[in-house]
CSV table of all heavy atoms in Angstrom, one decimal:
chain,number,residue,atom,x,y,z
A,268,GLY,N,-3.9,2.9,-9.4
A,268,GLY,CA,-4.1,4.4,-9.3
A,268,GLY,C,-4.6,4.9,-8.0
A,268,GLY,O,-4.5,6.0,-7.7
A,269,ASP,N,-5.2,4.0,-7.2
A,269,ASP,CA,-5.6,4.4,-5.8
A,269,ASP,C,-4.4,4.7,-5.0
A,269,ASP,O,-3.3,4.1,-5.1
A,269,ASP,CB,-6.4,3.3,-5.2
A,269,ASP,CG,-7.8,3.1,-5.7
A,269,ASP,OD1,-8.3,3.9,-6.5
A,269,ASP,OD2,-8.4,2.0,-5.4
A,270,ILE,N,-4.6,5.6,-4.0
A,270,ILE,CA,-3.6,5.9,-3.1
A,270,ILE,C,-3.8,5.1,-1.8
A,270,ILE,O,-4.9,5.0,-1.3
A,270,ILE,CB,-3.6,7.4,-2.7
A,270,ILE,CG1,-3.3,8.3,-4.0
A,270,ILE,CG2,-2.6,7.7,-1.6
A,270,ILE,CD1,-3.4,9.7,-3.7
A,271,ALA,N,-2.7,4.4,-1.4
A,271,ALA,CA,-2.7,3.6,-0.2
A,271,ALA,C,-1.8,4.2,0.8
A,271,ALA,O,-0.8,4.8,0.5
A,271,ALA,CB,-2.3,2.2,-0.5
A,272,GLN,N,-2.1,4.0,2.1
A,272,GLN,CA,-1.3,4.4,3.2
A,272,GLN,C,-0.6,3.2,3.8
A,272,GLN,O,-1.3,2.2,4.0
A,272,GLN,CB,-2.1,5.1,4.3
A,272,GLN,CG,-2.8,6.4,3.8
A,272,GLN,CD,-3.7,7.0,4.9
A,272,GLN,OE1,-4.4,6.3,5.6
A,272,GLN,NE2,-3.7,8.3,4.9
A,273,ILE,N,0.7,3.3,4.0
A,273,ILE,CA,1.4,2.2,4.7
A,273,ILE,C,1.4,2.6,6.1
A,273,ILE,O,1.8,3.6,6.6
A,273,ILE,CB,2.9,2.1,4.2
A,273,ILE,CG1,2.9,1.8,2.6
A,273,ILE,CG2,3.7,1.1,4.9
A,273,ILE,CD1,4.3,1.8,2.0
A,274,LEU,N,0.9,1.6,6.9
A,274,LEU,CA,0.8,1.8,8.4
A,274,LEU,C,1.8,0.9,9.2
A,274,LEU,O,2.1,-0.2,8.7
A,274,LEU,CB,-0.7,1.4,8.8
A,274,LEU,CG,-1.8,2.0,8.0
A,274,LEU,CD1,-3.1,1.4,8.5
A,274,LEU,CD2,-1.8,3.5,8.2
A,275,ASP,N,2.2,1.4,10.3
A,275,ASP,CA,3.1,0.6,11.2
A,275,ASP,C,2.2,-0.2,12.1
A,275,ASP,O,1.0,-0.2,12.0
A,275,ASP,CB,4.0,1.5,11.9
A,275,ASP,CG,3.4,2.4,12.9
A,275,ASP,OD1,2.1,2.3,13.2
A,275,ASP,OD2,4.1,3.3,13.5
A,276,ARG,N,2.8,-0.9,13.1
A,276,ARG,CA,2.1,-1.8,14.0
A,276,ARG,C,1.1,-1.1,14.9
A,276,ARG,O,0.2,-1.7,15.4
A,276,ARG,CB,3.1,-2.5,14.8
A,276,ARG,CG,3.9,-1.6,15.7
A,276,ARG,CD,4.9,-2.4,16.5
A,276,ARG,NE,4.3,-3.0,17.7
A,276,ARG,CZ,4.8,-4.0,18.3
A,276,ARG,NH1,5.9,-4.5,17.9
A,276,ARG,NH2,4.2,-4.5,19.4
A,277,ASN,N,1.2,0.2,15.1
A,277,ASN,CA,0.3,1.0,15.9
A,277,ASN,C,-0.8,1.6,15.1
A,277,ASN,O,-1.7,2.3,15.6
A,277,ASN,CB,1.0,2.1,16.7
A,277,ASN,CG,2.0,1.5,17.6
A,277,ASN,OD1,1.7,0.5,18.3
A,277,ASN,ND2,3.2,2.0,17.7
A,278,GLY,N,-0.8,1.4,13.8
A,278,GLY,CA,-1.8,2.0,12.9
A,278,GLY,C,-1.5,3.4,12.5
A,278,GLY,O,-2.3,4.1,11.9
A,279,SER,N,-0.3,3.9,12.7
A,279,SER,CA,0.2,5.2,12.3
A,279,SER,C,0.7,5.2,10.9
A,279,SER,O,1.3,4.2,10.5
A,279,SER,CB,1.3,5.7,13.2
A,279,SER,OG,0.9,5.7,14.6
A,280,VAL,N,0.4,6.2,10.1
A,280,VAL,CA,0.7,6.3,8.7
A,280,VAL,C,2.3,6.5,8.6
A,280,VAL,O,2.8,7.5,9.2
A,280,VAL,CB,0.0,7.4,8.0
A,280,VAL,CG1,0.4,7.5,6.5
A,280,VAL,CG2,-1.5,7.1,8.0
A,281,ILE,N,2.9,5.7,7.9
A,281,ILE,CA,4.4,5.8,7.6
A,281,ILE,C,4.6,6.6,6.3
A,281,ILE,O,5.4,7.5,6.3
A,281,ILE,CB,5.1,4.5,7.5
A,281,ILE,CG1,4.9,3.7,8.8
A,281,ILE,CG2,6.5,4.6,7.1
A,281,ILE,CD1,5.4,2.2,8.6
A,282,SER,N,3.8,6.3,5.3
A,282,SER,CA,3.9,7.0,4.0
A,282,SER,C,2.7,6.6,3.2
A,282,SER,O,1.9,5.8,3.5
A,282,SER,CB,5.2,6.5,3.3
A,282,SER,OG,5.2,5.2,2.9
A,283,GLU,N,2.6,7.3,2.0
A,283,GLU,CA,1.6,7.1,1.1
A,283,GLU,C,2.2,6.6,-0.2
A,283,GLU,O,3.2,7.2,-0.7
A,283,GLU,CB,0.7,8.3,0.9
A,283,GLU,CG,-0.1,8.7,2.1
A,283,GLU,CD,-0.9,9.9,1.9
A,283,GLU,OE1,-0.9,10.5,0.8
A,283,GLU,OE2,-1.7,10.2,2.8
A,284,VAL,N,1.6,5.6,-0.9
A,284,VAL,CA,2.1,5.1,-2.2
A,284,VAL,C,0.9,4.9,-3.1
A,284,VAL,O,-0.3,4.8,-2.7
A,284,VAL,CB,2.8,3.8,-2.0
A,284,VAL,CG1,4.1,4.0,-1.3
A,284,VAL,CG2,2.0,2.8,-1.3
A,285,VAL,N,1.2,4.8,-4.4
A,285,VAL,CA,0.1,4.6,-5.4
A,285,VAL,C,0.1,3.1,-5.7
A,285,VAL,O,1.2,2.4,-5.8
A,285,VAL,CB,0.4,5.4,-6.7
A,285,VAL,CG1,-0.6,5.0,-7.8
A,285,VAL,CG2,0.4,6.8,-6.4
A,286,ILE,N,-1.1,2.5,-5.8
A,286,ILE,CA,-1.2,1.1,-6.1
A,286,ILE,C,-1.0,1.0,-7.6
A,286,ILE,O,-1.6,1.6,-8.4
A,286,ILE,CB,-2.6,0.6,-5.8
A,286,ILE,CG1,-2.8,0.6,-4.2
A,286,ILE,CG2,-2.9,-0.8,-6.3
A,286,ILE,CD1,-4.1,0.2,-3.7
A,287,ASP,N,0.0,0.1,-7.9
A,287,ASP,CA,0.4,-0.1,-9.3
A,287,ASP,C,-0.3,-1.2,-10.0
A,287,ASP,O,-0.6,-1.1,-11.2
A,287,ASP,CB,2.0,-0.3,-9.3
A,287,ASP,CG,2.6,-0.2,-10.6
A,287,ASP,OD1,2.2,0.6,-11.4
A,287,ASP,OD2,3.5,-1.0,-10.9
A,288,LYS,N,-0.5,-2.3,-9.3
A,288,LYS,CA,-1.1,-3.5,-9.9
A,288,LYS,C,-1.9,-4.3,-8.9
A,288,LYS,O,-1.5,-4.4,-7.8
A,288,LYS,CB,0.1,-4.4,-10.4
A,288,LYS,CG,-0.3,-5.7,-11.1
A,288,LYS,CD,1.0,-6.4,-11.5
A,288,LYS,CE,0.7,-7.8,-12.1
A,288,LYS,NZ,1.9,-8.5,-12.5
A,289,VAL,N,-3.0,-4.8,-9.4
A,289,VAL,CA,-3.9,-5.7,-8.5
A,289,VAL,C,-4.1,-7.0,-9.2
A,289,VAL,O,-4.5,-7.0,-10.4
A,289,VAL,CB,-5.2,-5.0,-8.3
A,289,VAL,CG1,-6.1,-5.9,-7.4
A,289,VAL,CG2,-5.1,-3.6,-7.6
A,290,THR,N,-3.8,-8.1,-8.6
A,290,THR,CA,-4.0,-9.4,-9.1
A,290,THR,C,-5.1,-10.1,-8.2
A,290,THR,O,-5.6,-9.5,-7.3
A,290,THR,CB,-2.7,-10.3,-9.2
A,290,THR,OG1,-2.3,-10.5,-7.8
A,290,THR,CG2,-1.6,-9.6,-9.9
A,291,THR,N,-5.4,-11.4,-8.5
A,291,THR,CA,-6.4,-12.1,-7.8
A,291,THR,C,-5.9,-12.4,-6.3
A,291,THR,O,-6.8,-12.6,-5.5
A,291,THR,CB,-6.7,-13.4,-8.4
A,291,THR,OG1,-5.5,-14.2,-8.6
A,291,THR,CG2,-7.3,-13.2,-9.8
A,292,ARG,N,-4.6,-12.3,-6.0
A,292,ARG,CA,-4.1,-12.7,-4.7
A,292,ARG,C,-3.3,-11.6,-4.0
A,292,ARG,O,-3.1,-11.6,-2.8
A,292,ARG,CB,-3.3,-13.9,-4.8
A,292,ARG,CG,-4.1,-15.1,-5.2
A,292,ARG,CD,-3.3,-16.3,-5.4
A,292,ARG,NE,-3.1,-16.9,-4.0
A,292,ARG,CZ,-2.3,-17.9,-3.8
A,292,ARG,NH1,-1.6,-18.5,-4.8
A,292,ARG,NH2,-2.2,-18.4,-2.6
A,293,SER,N,-2.8,-10.6,-4.8
A,293,SER,CA,-2.0,-9.6,-4.2
A,293,SER,C,-2.1,-8.2,-4.8
A,293,SER,O,-2.7,-8.1,-5.9
A,293,SER,CB,-0.5,-10.0,-4.3
A,293,SER,OG,-0.1,-10.1,-5.6
A,294,VAL,N,-1.6,-7.2,-4.1
A,294,VAL,CA,-1.5,-5.9,-4.6
A,294,VAL,C,-0.1,-5.5,-4.6
A,294,VAL,O,0.7,-5.7,-3.7
A,294,VAL,CB,-2.3,-4.9,-3.6
A,294,VAL,CG1,-2.1,-3.5,-4.0
A,294,VAL,CG2,-3.7,-5.3,-3.5
A,295,THR,N,0.4,-4.8,-5.7
A,295,THR,CA,1.7,-4.3,-5.8
A,295,THR,C,1.7,-2.8,-5.8
A,295,THR,O,0.9,-2.2,-6.6
A,295,THR,CB,2.4,-4.8,-7.1
A,295,THR,OG1,2.4,-6.2,-7.1
A,295,THR,CG2,3.9,-4.3,-7.1
A,296,THR,N,2.5,-2.1,-5.0
A,296,THR,CA,2.5,-0.7,-5.0
A,296,THR,C,3.7,-0.2,-5.8
A,296,THR,O,4.6,-1.0,-6.2
A,296,THR,CB,2.7,-0.1,-3.5
A,296,THR,OG1,3.7,-0.8,-2.9
A,296,THR,CG2,1.4,-0.4,-2.8
A,297,GLU,N,3.7,1.1,-6.1
A,297,GLU,CA,4.8,1.7,-7.0
A,297,GLU,C,6.2,1.5,-6.4
A,297,GLU,O,7.2,1.5,-7.1
A,297,GLU,CB,4.5,3.1,-7.3
A,297,GLU,CG,4.6,4.0,-6.0
A,297,GLU,CD,4.3,5.5,-6.3
A,297,GLU,OE1,4.1,5.8,-7.5
A,297,GLU,OE2,4.3,6.3,-5.4
A,298,CYS,N,6.3,1.3,-5.1
A,298,CYS,CA,7.6,1.1,-4.5
A,298,CYS,C,8.1,-0.4,-4.7
A,298,CYS,O,9.2,-0.7,-4.4
A,298,CYS,CB,7.6,1.4,-3.0
A,298,CYS,SG,6.4,0.4,-2.0
């Protein structure tokens, strides 16, 4: 449910997505 920003190599925001799932090793976004 948290909102995450996807950043490019320069740290600029490309887009925003919602975090869909969090496991012990990874995060999955709604995309």
Side-chain angles (χ1 to χ4, degrees):
D269 287 347
I270 297 176
Q272 296 175 322
I273 299 177
L274 309 176
D275 66 7
R276 62 183 280 156
N277 298 317
S279 301
V280 176
I281 298 172
S282 65
E283 294 182 355
V284 292
V285 175
I286 294 176
D287 192 38
K288 181 180 175 184
V289 178
T290 65
T291 58
R292 299 177 78 185
S293 67
V294 173
T295 304
T296 51
E297 66 182 356
C298 60

